[in-house]
Amino acid sequence: DVQVPSDRWQLAARTVNPRDYILSMGVANDSKSAVFEARGDIYLVMADDSRPPRNLTNTPGTRERMPQLSPDGTRVAFYSDKTGEYQIYALDIAGNKPWDALTTDLDRAAYHLEWSPDGTKILFGNKDFSLFWLDVATKKLTKFATSNQMKNDEFFWEVSDYSWSPDSKWVTYSFVEFNRNNRVFLYSVEQNTSVPLTDGFYDSMNPSFDAN
């Protein structure tokens, strides 16, 4: 037996600046505040430094990821693994209400959240190259597009090339075709149908609506 005396300093409580561990962020529409993911918690930062940064989740035992502020800046949506699988939650940034679990049955890696401009829906994708939108009020989840084609032969599973129209009635996104080119599509939330906007001959990606 080997005995190695140690001060066990790595197990001692210590203060860590989360600024050095930021992985994702989201900015409010009015540019007055932002949220940051760092070391498994979500932090709220005011642009004018009127209040010190605040830890909104403060959960040492779980990890919260990919926060996005609602259009009115009152709520933040994020993923948390508090149940064992990452689910989507919404939290009132004033801290007066408990977490609102928006999903309960996600069972694989999902990627960046996108609030609709009217604040009623959330758009996201997962590792199966599927796209979903979530009705925040009813918590109904709709899968509206899926693919099985990778851009290259690397294990790069994320599909996150999507955006809302200003009226929250349409989504534009791109998927990889069999020729390895991305093709841009337009999806109608009301009709639950998609149509291609490009022919796939050229590589087309990163679609976005103008303000009108």
Side-chain angles (χ1 to χ4, degrees):
D1 293 339
V2 178
Q3 301 294 326
V4 183
S6 170
D7 292 332
R8 303 174 69 85
W9 62 270
Q10 290 181 315
L11 300 180
R14 66 191 189 277
T15 299
V16 177
N17 192 336
R19 179 184 61 191
D20 300 324
Y21 298 90
I22 294 172
L23 294 179
S24 63
M25 62 167 292
V27 180
N29 281 7
D30 59 9
S31 303
K32 294 181 179 180
S33 61
V35 285
F36 295 87
E37 169 201 348
R39 288 180 60 84
D41 279 322
I42 306 300
Y43 295 84
L44 176 69
V45 178
M46 306 305 295
D48 59 2
D49 293 330
S50 59
R51 289 183 294 177
R54 183 159 52 96
N55 189 336
L56 295 177
T57 53
N58 196 22
T59 52
T62 63
R63 183 185 180 191
E64 283 69 60
R65 307 176 63 228
M66 302 182 186
Q68 289 295 320
L69 283 164
S70 60
D72 61 5
T74 63
R75 306 177 81 194
V76 58
F78 55 89
Y79 295 105
S80 175
D81 65 352
K82 63 185 298 184
T83 64
E85 292 282 354
Y86 282 107
Q87 304 296 334
I88 300 175
Y89 295 83
L91 177 64
D92 182 63
I93 65 170
N96 300 324
K97 300 177 181 178
W99 294 15
D100 184 13
L102 301 182
T103 64
T104 58
D105 56 0
L106 301 185
D107 60 358
R108 61 208 64 200
Y111 303 104
H112 91 268
L113 306 171
E114 196 76 37
W115 284 91
S116 62
D118 63 5
T120 64
K121 297 176 280 290
I122 292 176
L123 178 66
F124 68 97
N126 73 4
K127 69 178 289 290
D128 286 347
F129 296 165
S130 296
L131 299 181
F132 303 82
W133 68 270
L134 172 69
D135 187 301
V136 175
T138 65
K139 303 180 181 179
K140 179 184 177 182
L141 190 62
T142 301
K143 180 169 77 171
F144 64 89
T146 189
S147 173
N148 59 3
Q149 182 66 40
M150 289 194 295
K151 187 70 171 176
N152 49 46
D153 294 325
E154 298 176 3
F155 291 100
F156 184 76
W157 302 105
E158 180 174 355
V159 174
S160 57
D161 188 15
Y162 39 77
S163 62
W164 286 101
S165 64
D167 62 6
S168 304
K169 295 180 179 180
W170 302 85
V171 174
T172 183
Y173 62 95
S174 77
F175 267 159
V176 183
E177 300 285 277
F178 290 110
N179 63 359
R180 305 295 178 93
N181 284 343
N182 273 54
R183 192 176 188 183
V184 174
F185 294 84
L186 185 67
Y187 168 73
S188 168
V189 174
E190 294 179 341
Q191 299 175 12
N192 194 30
T193 56
S194 291
V195 294
L197 297 183
T198 60
D199 59 13
F201 184 80
Y202 297 100
D203 195 18
S204 305
M205 61 184 69
N206 303 126
S208 182
F209 288 90
D210 67 3
N212 294 323

